């Protein structure tokens, strides 16, 4: 199929296009072609605008039809206080789509829409959309129409929601999905344990190579007495106690060895004895 084109006609040039030039075309013919081209342009523009308006009207009509289905479905559920068989199947399918990975485009589109409704409108509206529309109708919409549908659901949320929808959302497991989603959102928005350089909890004591604790420790700031004779309220890690005892034994042995090699005068002076005259 050839691309669309406009063919011009003149007395000396029975058939040509504008890109071929206008050699052989008289001034009178050129003036006539100019007017015809303007009329053609205006006609094409008018037709194009008419089609755009018609398309927009059809899309708006489709969203309005979905709005009617949601309203009628909400009224039906309110009266019957249950889902009919077809609606129940749609809701079960929606829960499965929300809780399992999806690879097919239609199911991925449907899952995204349901998640948006769940997050922004709540579990009751997820149940209503699933029961009244189902995957096929939602996935068939273009992206802009799905956004318009989401906006419609958000604006009319209060008129759709009812205690019956809330109870059914709980029964079909949609509320638990909403609660999990809210828990994840709050966890993601919660402040970290460290803010502006200030920790929310005391920094754990760090062990040195010799089994002691650093000077900056917030748990054992040189409280050696707690390691030797801990009070009932003091919780001393077993590893810290063992390291301290080993370090004390090594220090004691070093002092004993140095004392055994010291001169007699140093030993006497250290023991407090006086040398006789």
């Amino acid at each position: 199929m050839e691309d669309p084109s406009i063919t011009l006609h003149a007395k000396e040039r029975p058939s040509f296009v504008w890109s071929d030039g206008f050699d052989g075309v008289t001034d009178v013919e050129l003036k006539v072609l100019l007017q015809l081209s303007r009329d053609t342009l205006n006609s094409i523009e008018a037709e194009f605008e008419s089609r755009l308006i018609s398309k927009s009207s059809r899309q708006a009509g489709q969203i309005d039809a979905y709005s009617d289905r949601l309203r009628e479905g909400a009224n039906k559920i309110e009266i019957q206080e249950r889902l009919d068989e077809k609606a129940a199947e749609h809701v079960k399918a929606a829960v499965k789509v929300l809780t399992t990975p999806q690879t097919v485009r239609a199911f991925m589109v449907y899952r995204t829409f349901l998640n948006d409704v769940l997050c922004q409108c709540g579990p009751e509206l997820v149940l209503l959309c699933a029961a009244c529309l189902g995957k096929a109708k939602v996935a068939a919409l273009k992206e802009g129409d799905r956004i318009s549908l989401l906006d419609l659901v958000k604006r009319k949320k209060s008129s759709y929601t009812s205690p019956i929808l809330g109870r059914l959302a709980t029964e079909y497991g949609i509320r638990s999905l909403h609660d999990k989603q809210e828990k994840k959102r709050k966890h993601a928005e919660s402040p970290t344990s460290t803010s502006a350089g200030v920790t929310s909890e005391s920094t754990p004591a760090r062990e040195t190579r010799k089994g002691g604790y650093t000077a900056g420790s917030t748990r054992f700031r040189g409280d050696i007495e707690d390691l030797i004779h801990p009070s009932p309220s003091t919780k001393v890690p077993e590893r810290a106690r063992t390291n301290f005892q080993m370090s004390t034994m090594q220090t004691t042995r070093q002092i004993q060895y140095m004392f055994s090699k010291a001169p007699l005068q140093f030993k006497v002076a250290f023991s407090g004895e006086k040398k006789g005259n």
Side-chain angles (χ1 to χ4, degrees):
M1 181 179 178
E2 296 182 359
D3 293 335
S5 63
I6 297 176
T7 304
L8 305 176
H9 297 273
K11 184 177 181 180
E12 299 297 330
R13 298 183 64 179
S15 179
F16 68 99
V17 296
W18 65 269
S19 58
D20 295 336
F22 295 90
D23 293 341
V25 180
T26 65
D27 292 346
V28 176
E29 291 176 329
L30 192 61
K31 186 176 181 180
V32 173
L33 290 174
L34 177 60
Q35 185 60 47
L36 291 173
S37 298
R38 287 173 176 170
D39 294 341
T40 301
L41 176 61
N42 291 334
S43 177
I44 292 175
E45 287 180 342
E47 177 64 20
F48 189 70
E49 290 178 359
S50 176
R51 293 188 180 187
L52 286 178
I53 293 174
S54 177
K55 182 179 179 181
S56 177
S57 298
R58 289 196 302 271
Q59 292 174 345
Q62 189 175 23
I63 299 301
D64 289 340
Y66 283 12
S67 175
D68 293 339
R69 290 181 67 91
L70 292 173
R71 185 182 66 255
E72 293 171 0
N75 291 336
K76 181 179 179 181
I77 294 171
E78 183 73 16
I79 294 172
Q80 294 182 332
E81 298 187 7
R82 62 175 177 81
L83 298 179
D84 58 32
E85 185 177 352
K86 184 176 180 180
E89 290 178 357
H90 284 169
V91 171
K92 291 177 183 178
V95 173
K96 185 176 181 181
V97 168
L98 284 169
T99 55
T100 57
Q102 303 299 324
T103 56
V104 179
R105 182 184 179 281
F107 286 92
M108 294 170 66
V109 168
Y110 188 42
R111 177 174 181 169
T112 299
F113 175 79
L114 292 177
N115 270 321
D116 288 340
V117 175
L118 184 64
C119 178
Q120 301 179 40
C121 306
E124 297 89 351
L125 273 297
V126 172
L127 181 133
L128 183 63
C129 288
C132 299
L133 303 179
K135 176 188 72 67
K137 288 184 173 60
V138 173
L141 291 173
K142 293 184 179 179
E143 183 179 3
D145 295 335
R146 284 194 299 275
I147 294 174
S148 298
L149 178 59
L150 176 62
D151 179 61
L152 171 73
V153 174
K154 290 171 64 176
R155 286 187 288 106
K156 296 191 175 183
K157 172 185 175 181
S158 58
S159 62
Y160 292 149
T161 305
S162 69
I164 301 300
L165 284 177
R167 176 176 61 79
L168 292 173
T170 301
E171 290 179 5
Y172 283 87
I174 301 176
R175 186 172 301 281
S176 63
L177 297 178
H178 179 262
D179 294 342
K180 290 179 181 178
Q181 189 181 74
E182 283 296 297
K183 186 176 181 180
K184 289 182 180 180
R185 182 183 63 81
K186 291 180 180 179
H187 179 73
E189 293 177 354
S190 63
T192 58
S193 59
T194 303
S195 177
V198 179
T199 58
S200 59
E201 297 181 358
S202 299
T203 305
R206 294 174 297 170
E207 292 187 31
T208 62
R209 290 185 178 180
K210 292 185 178 181
Y213 288 85
T214 59
S217 168
T218 59
R219 294 180 61 186
F220 300 102
R221 299 178 182 274
D223 296 332
I224 304 301
E225 188 63 22
D226 286 340
L227 291 172
I228 303 174
H229 304 293
S231 63
S233 62
T234 303
K235 295 182 179 180
V236 181
E238 186 63 27
R239 183 178 179 183
R241 185 190 300 279
T242 302
N243 290 340
F244 177 78
Q245 292 174 348
M246 293 178 63
S247 178
T248 303
M249 291 175 61
Q250 292 175 357
T251 303
T252 302
R253 289 173 181 174
Q254 290 175 355
I255 293 174
Q256 291 175 345
Y257 175 79
M258 294 172 59
F259 188 81
S260 65
K261 298 296 184 179
L264 179 60
Q265 294 83 352
F266 175 81
K267 294 181 181 179
V268 172
F270 186 85
S271 61
E273 295 177 72
K274 293 184 179 180
K275 187 177 179 181
N277 294 331

